[in-house]
Amino acid sequence: LGRKLNAALSSLNRASVIDDKVILGYCVLDALLKEVCAALLESDVNVKLVAQLRQKVKAKVKAAIEGGADKGKEQNRRNVVQKAIFDELVGLVDPGVEPYKPKKGQSNVIMAVGLQGNGKTTTCTKLAVYYQKRGFKSCIVCADTFRAGAFDQTRQSATKAKVAYFGSYTETDPVSIAAQGVAKFKKERFDVIIVDTSGRHKQESELFKEMVQIGEAVKPNMTVMILDASIGQAAEAQAHAFKESANFGAIIVTKMDGHAKGGGAISAVAATKTPIIFLGVGEHLHDLDKFSPQPFISKLLG
Ligand code: GDP
């Protein structure tokens, strides 16, 4: 995308030889935006969002140039276009909503939801490590009774991370496990209690029903959707489906260390008006980066 953007911008430079603001505004800008939008689509940003972005950038650049922001200079003109594109993209991943922040001296319950394979269990441990490092006594409750081996995975990764955990090999009701685990850890005055839920069921409707029930049982302060960057365009529909039942208040995008640029995640944020709080950037316990819009967009732009 970066390469394309640069190519498009240099064609803009060539056009500035004509030095005609009208041509710049109505023709060259159009061609430039076409290039950028094609590249955004390739990075899995949703078609509708791209179309909106195009309109907004166009309006912004025209207004800026007609207002004389470029002072008639080609370098300034280039900056105006670049800034408009960058700002619009940043706006897309910043829904203007403050995510919940765990507070010390109280129990903060965080419930993780998302489809199996998205990196939920790994991310729960990463989150526990993140908060533990910052002085929050942290723990994990494994409320996934559907997948054989789920509790073992939690046990292993929590042990490795040196965080407390709770789960059961015999109890089959995830709602009961979640409630028991959260009650136990609250009594023991843990600051951050992370509840890992199932990511698969015989039927999707069962999965969503279970999430609602667990949510009612543990009353999370924050529900986090774990979204895999590599699923691309599918992220939007997935986020929509989970928002309706789990009403999550934050998103963590995993596997950002891979090939995916996270364009799908942008669409998920825009569709659910929910902020991204962290990025998963690897398989290890410390591979969790705090999210901020600018670096994310810079990466998207290559
Ligand atoms: P769950 O089914 O949603 O609980 O997913 P898991 O936590 O079991 O993760 C599925 C796979 O994705 C595992 O092999 C993880 O090591 C891997 N994984 C999770 N997060 C990341 C990440 O940020 N980067 C990479 N490269 N792999 C990840």
Side-chain angles (χ1 to χ4, degrees):
L1 181 56
R3 193 166 33 82
K4 286 199 174 166
L5 185 59
N6 276 332
L9 285 167
S10 66
S11 75
L12 174 67
N13 264 355
R14 279 196 300 279
S16 69
V17 174
I18 308 164
D19 202 23
D20 184 337
K21 286 180 189 174
V22 177
I23 289 177
L24 172 81
Y26 300 96
C27 301
V28 181
L29 176 61
D30 235 21
L32 165 67
L33 274 173
K34 213 168 168 177
E35 286 277 343
V36 172
C37 291
L40 286 174
L41 290 172
E42 259 176 48
S43 303
D44 290 325
V45 182
N46 165 290
V47 179
K48 253 190 354 224
L49 278 183
V50 173
Q52 280 168 12
L53 178 117
R54 190 169 169 167
Q55 290 311 319
K56 284 189 187 158
V57 170
K58 229 165 153 173
K60 232 182 195 172
V61 171
K62 273 186 195 171
I65 289 175
E66 277 160 19
D70 64 333
K71 298 192 179 67
K73 295 227 174 73
E74 63 181 61
Q75 183 56 38
N76 297 346
R77 207 167 290 170
R78 194 183 156 113
N79 291 345
V80 166
V81 176
Q82 216 156 13
K83 189 175 177 322
I85 292 170
F86 194 80
D87 288 352
E88 281 303 320
L89 283 171
V90 167
L92 280 182
V93 285
D94 182 5
V97 181
E98 269 301 307
Y100 178 79
K101 285 210 175 62
K103 295 161 194 76
K104 291 217 173 112
Q106 69 171 64
S107 292
N108 302 274
V109 178
I110 300 175
M111 177 169 150
V113 300
L115 286 189
Q116 181 165 310
N118 279 4
K120 197 160 14 76
T121 303
T122 309
T123 307
C124 285
T125 314
K126 286 180 182 177
L127 269 181
V129 169
Y130 178 91
Y131 287 119
Q132 188 118 297
K133 243 172 57 188
R134 282 155 183 81
F136 293 88
K137 198 175 160 195
S138 305
C139 59
I140 301 168
V141 176
C142 172
D144 178 0
T145 53
F146 187 84
R147 181 164 63 98
F151 180 42
D152 266 332
Q153 191 187 342
T154 298
R155 193 171 54 81
Q156 280 165 17
S157 64
T159 305
K160 196 169 151 200
K162 297 191 174 60
V163 293
Y165 61 92
F166 178 87
S168 170
Y169 287 112
T170 49
E171 173 65 67
T172 53
D173 177 11
V175 182
S176 164
I177 295 182
Q180 280 177 48
V182 170
K184 170 184 144 67
F185 285 131
K186 272 190 172 172
K187 216 164 110 197
E188 295 172 7
R189 306 211 165 274
F190 274 81
D191 300 306
V192 169
I193 304 170
I194 299 164
V195 182
D196 190 2
T197 63
S198 176
R200 190 165 64 96
H201 246 278
K202 281 194 203 77
Q203 278 182 339
E204 209 169 61
S205 60
E206 288 296 309
L207 176 65
F208 289 132
K209 208 165 93 193
E210 181 178 305
M211 273 181 330
V212 171
Q213 287 170 346
I214 294 177
E216 281 167 357
V218 305
K219 301 201 169 37
N221 297 92
M222 170 167 72
T223 300
V224 186
M225 160 126 209
I226 313 298
L227 207 54
D228 181 341
S230 66
I231 65 170
Q233 292 272 355
E236 191 186 346
Q238 222 176 78
H240 245 313
F242 275 85
K243 187 80 179 180
E244 273 173 22
S245 45
N247 192 22
F248 53 87
I251 295 174
I252 296 179
V253 184
T254 63
K255 307 185 195 177
M256 281 300 291
D257 50 313
H259 293 301
K261 297 237 170 168
I266 291 192
S267 312
V269 170
T272 60
K273 306 261 181 295
T274 308
I276 299 173
I277 51 171
F278 289 103
L279 300 177
V281 291
E283 297 191 73
H284 298 291
L285 292 176
H286 296 283
D287 295 335
L288 188 72
D289 288 352
K290 210 163 183 306
F291 175 82
S292 40
Q294 278 90 350
F296 180 84
I297 295 305
S298 298
K299 183 180 177 193
L300 187 86
L301 291 174

